[in-house]
């Protein structure tokens, strides 16, 4: 396990992964990515999401970030998040506890009903 130190992270990654920020919608590099591979945590390299679980978000408010309908088993943790006047479920990397984004249950556009809304900056795609 090789977790990057805070001073090794880019400003943008530090803001999201360490301070629970959110990148601007449609600004991330993986929003429209279709390549096959494994999305790893950009802080520690933990494999988080398979490209097979990625889908195009159609629910307003959840569009503009990479969307997945499942995570790789035992790769992420969930935490209740009541910030910004909303009740949401935060998704963090199980290995380094980096903030990744949120998961929404019962989303109409997610095949499994679970819509993982993840910041591109937290992901590092290892192409097949
Ligand atoms: Zn991590």
């Amino acid at each position: 396990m090789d977790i990057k130190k805070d001073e090794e992270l880019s400003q943008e990654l530090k803001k999201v992964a360490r301070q629970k920020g959110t990148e601007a919608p449609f600004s991330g590099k993986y929003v429209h990515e279709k390549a096959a591979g494994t999305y790893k945590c950009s802080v520690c390299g933990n494999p988080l999401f398979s490209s097979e679980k990625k889908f195009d978000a159609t629910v307003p408010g959840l569009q503009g970030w990479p969307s997945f309908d499942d995570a790789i088993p035992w790769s992420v943790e969930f935490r209740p998040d009541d910030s910004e006047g909303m009740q949401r479920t935060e998704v963090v990397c199980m290995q380094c506890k980096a903030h990744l984004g949120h998961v929404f249950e019962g989303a109409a556009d997610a095949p499994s009903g679970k819509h993982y809304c993840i910041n591109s900056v937290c992901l590092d795609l290892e192409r097949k």
Side-chain angles (χ1 to χ4, degrees), residues 31-68:
V31 179
H32 301 295
E33 182 63 61
K34 301 287 186 202
T38 302
Y39 290 87
K40 298 181 163 185
C41 174
S42 53
V43 177
C44 74
N46 185 23
L48 302 172
F49 299 97
S50 162
S51 60
E52 290 168 22
K53 302 292 183 183
K54 195 172 187 293
F55 66 97
D56 289 322
T58 57
V59 170
L62 299 184
Q63 292 171 292
W65 300 273
S67 301
F68 302 90

Side-chain angles (χ1 to χ4, degrees), residues 18-118:
R18 293 283 176 248
Q19 293 154 24
K20 304 187 184 188
T22 301
E23 65 193 9
F26 299 103
S27 69
K29 59 183 173 176
Y30 294 134
V31 179
H32 301 295
E33 182 63 61
K34 301 287 186 202
T38 302
Y39 290 87
K40 298 181 163 185
C41 174
S42 53
V43 177
C44 74
N46 185 23
L48 302 172
F49 299 97
S50 162
S51 60
E52 290 168 22
K53 302 292 183 183
K54 195 172 187 293
F55 66 97
D56 289 322
T58 57
V59 170
L62 299 184
Q63 292 171 292
W65 300 273
S67 301
F68 302 90
D69 79 337
D70 203 4
I72 291 171
W74 305 106
S75 70
V76 298
E77 278 177 24
F78 306 101
R79 296 177 180 174
D81 177 7
D82 297 330
S83 65
E84 296 180 39
M86 290 178 275
Q87 287 203 327
R88 296 180 294 174
T89 302
E90 181 190 4
V91 181
V92 304
C93 173
M94 190 171 272
Q95 187 164 269
C96 74
K97 314 303 178 193
H99 171 83
L100 304 172
H102 292 88
V103 62
F104 300 87
E105 303 269 351
D109 58 353
S112 71
K114 284 187 184 180
H115 185 138
Y116 288 79
C117 197
I118 303 298

